[in-house]
Amino acid sequence: MDFKGFDRPGRQGGGDIRSVKVMIAGGFGTGKTTMVRSVSDIRPLTTEETLTQASAGVDDLIGVADKSQTTVSLDFGKIGLNDSLMLYLFGTPGQERFWFLWNGLFKGALGAVVLVDTRRLASSFRAIEEMERQQVPFVIALNVFPDSKDFPAEEIRDALDIPAHIPVVSFDARDRASSRDVLVALIRHLKERSAVAVEPR
Amino acid sequence: MSAPRRPSDPSGLERYYVLTRGRSGPGGAAAGLDVATLVVSRPGPVPGLQHEHEEIVRRCREPLSVAELGAHLGLPFNILAVLLSDLLDAGRIEARDPIPAHVAGRGPDLALLEEVLSGLQRL
Ligand SMILES: Nc1nc2c(ncn2[C@@H]2O[C@H](COP(=O)(O)OP(=O)(O)OP(=O)(O)O)[C@@H](O)[C@H]2O)c(=O)[nH]1
Ligand SMILES: [Mg+2]
């Protein structure tokens, strides 16, 4: 890590750097961590959140220090888009019972990618419902595993009940370019929505 | 870049208690902190700060997201938010929230989306 900002006293440290964030959601084991790792510029980091910690006040914790604790992790990655704009990616925890930890996490996100394992469609139902409930714009990314059957995307769209204007794309979460293409599909989708929104009535 | 460290035993909780002086959640300035909020220190000397506060000021001479900072320091979000709130109140750091695609009342930010798109396409 360098501290070059320190050598530029005329300027507020990194004064013009901005950030945007995109969430990577989806069911248990659908490839969220893999995708965040494959597209990130930095060695991706994981923060572990102690469950009792996040739900209770610190004061309450001293008394329960010996209680067994669950930790869940939040993966994140970072992509430098240009000199002054950073994209942060956050993978949501797969286990639904931990979602409450990240209430508000979708606030301020550009949108989300919902990963789907076509062998286990149902595992992503809840994630899709959650995006709809929180009104987060999203695209569906079908993560192709070696033994995934080759379903046409349209069949999956039907099964997941995804409206026609939401893109459904196939990809390989282990591949950087493939994961990048999913992000491109999301941003294009956001632009289209915006274009519709600003059209004069 | 140091590996994330985690307190490996329950005494971690006591450490948090000491760090936050028993305060249980971010208040005031830090209430709106997001994991993708960028934190950057204001230029100036850092003497007289509690160790963890000093560490934050030192690491944020270049803008760093709250999530990265938490991973580097081995602190959960809630605890880190309390410390950041102290530093915000003391004017030692600035915090900049992620830019949403839509700003209420201002409509969609097409220029921003275009900028993100061309950045991704250059990868
Ligand atoms: N063949 C193949 N394997 C994959 C792909 N993506 C992920 N995997 C593997 O699938 C397993 C689960 O991937 P993860 O990235 O951990 O999934 P996750 O969504 O983060 O899982 P949870 O956080 O537990 O919900 C890992 O063993 C990966 O190596 C893919 O595109 N192709
Ligand atoms: Mg994971």
Side-chain angles (χ1 to χ4, degrees):
Chain A
M1 190 176 293
D2 60 29
F3 292 132
K4 49 185 188 313
F6 203 48
D7 298 322
R8 280 175 273 153
R11 177 179 171 239
Q12 287 261 328
D16 45 14
I17 305 249
R18 297 156 300 145
S19 67
V20 290
K21 72 172 176 176
V22 163
M23 307 303 299
I24 311 297
F28 189 65
T30 48
K32 301 177 295 293
T33 301
T34 307
M35 176 174 177
V36 171
R37 294 202 168 151
S38 73
V39 290
S40 183
D41 286 346
I42 52 166
R43 191 172 39 128
L45 295 162
T46 296
T47 62
E48 306 238 308
E49 298 289 329
T50 306
L51 196 51
T52 46
Q53 199 88 36
S55 52
V58 176
D59 320 66
D60 307 326
L61 290 171
I62 302 306
V64 297
D66 54 355
K67 201 166 101 180
S68 73
Q69 290 169 36
T70 315
T71 58
V72 283
S73 55
L74 169 66
D75 323 296
F76 63 94
K78 172 163 95 169
I79 300 173
L81 294 171
N82 59 41
D83 288 349
S84 70
L85 187 60
M86 292 291 183
L87 168 62
Y88 286 94
L89 297 174
F90 292 90
T92 59
Q95 285 166 282
E96 288 165 18
R97 63 200 173 95
F98 296 141
W99 284 7
F100 73 91
L101 272 181
W102 286 283
N103 268 341
L105 194 59
F106 287 88
K107 201 178 111 247
L110 295 182
V113 173
V114 179
L115 299 199
V116 170
D117 176 346
T118 54
R119 301 165 305 176
R120 302 177 295 117
L121 288 185
S123 77
S124 291
F125 286 173
R126 270 293 309 281
I128 294 169
E129 279 164 23
E130 194 62 19
M131 296 310 108
E132 288 168 346
R133 190 179 69 78
Q134 297 202 35
Q135 301 188 312
V136 178
F138 65 94
V139 296
I140 299 285
L142 308 175
N143 195 7
V144 181
F145 289 82
D147 55 336
S148 299
K149 287 209 202 82
D150 199 11
F151 291 115
E154 291 316 300
E155 216 169 284
I156 309 273
R157 177 193 293 284
D158 272 0
L160 294 174
D161 197 17
I162 303 296
H165 69 276
I166 295 182
V168 177
V169 297
S170 294
F171 86 122
D172 184 333
R174 297 164 304 175
D175 185 74
R176 178 171 161 94
S178 183
S179 297
R180 189 265 325 267
D181 290 345
V182 170
L183 296 174
V184 167
L186 173 67
I187 304 303
R188 290 219 167 101
H189 172 57
L190 297 175
K191 279 181 61 190
E192 274 155 30
R193 290 174 84 248
S194 299
V196 171
V198 293
E199 246 160 44
R201 280 156 244 203
Chain B
M1 198 178 280
S2 59
R5 352 173 223 121
R6 287 290 305 158
S8 52
D9 58 27
S11 69
L13 294 175
E14 281 162 45
R15 176 182 162 229
Y16 299 151
Y17 190 85
V18 171
L19 278 179
T20 61
R21 280 173 277 131
R23 291 163 298 163
S24 60
L33 284 178
D34 184 90
V35 282
T37 296
L38 293 176
V39 178
V40 59
S41 346
R42 290 238 168 92
V46 290
L49 289 180
Q50 203 180 334
H51 174 74
E52 260 75 8
H53 286 117
E54 188 194 315
E55 184 76 13
I56 292 170
V57 170
R58 213 174 48 72
R59 283 180 183 272
C60 294
R61 283 176 183 151
E62 288 285 302
L64 200 58
S65 67
V66 170
E68 277 166 286
L69 195 54
H72 290 317
L73 299 176
L75 292 174
F77 180 78
N78 277 9
I79 305 298
L80 180 57
V82 172
L83 303 183
L84 290 174
S85 163
D86 293 340
L87 290 168
L88 279 168
D89 289 345
R92 297 300 194 123
I93 57 168
E94 284 172 49
R96 201 166 315 133
D97 285 336
I99 319 169
H102 289 246
V103 178
R106 271 210 272 139
D109 190 342
L110 275 172
L112 175 68
L113 293 174
E114 198 53 64
E115 192 180 349
V116 174
L117 192 57
S118 51
L120 285 171
Q121 283 165 337
R122 243 180 282 124
L123 286 188

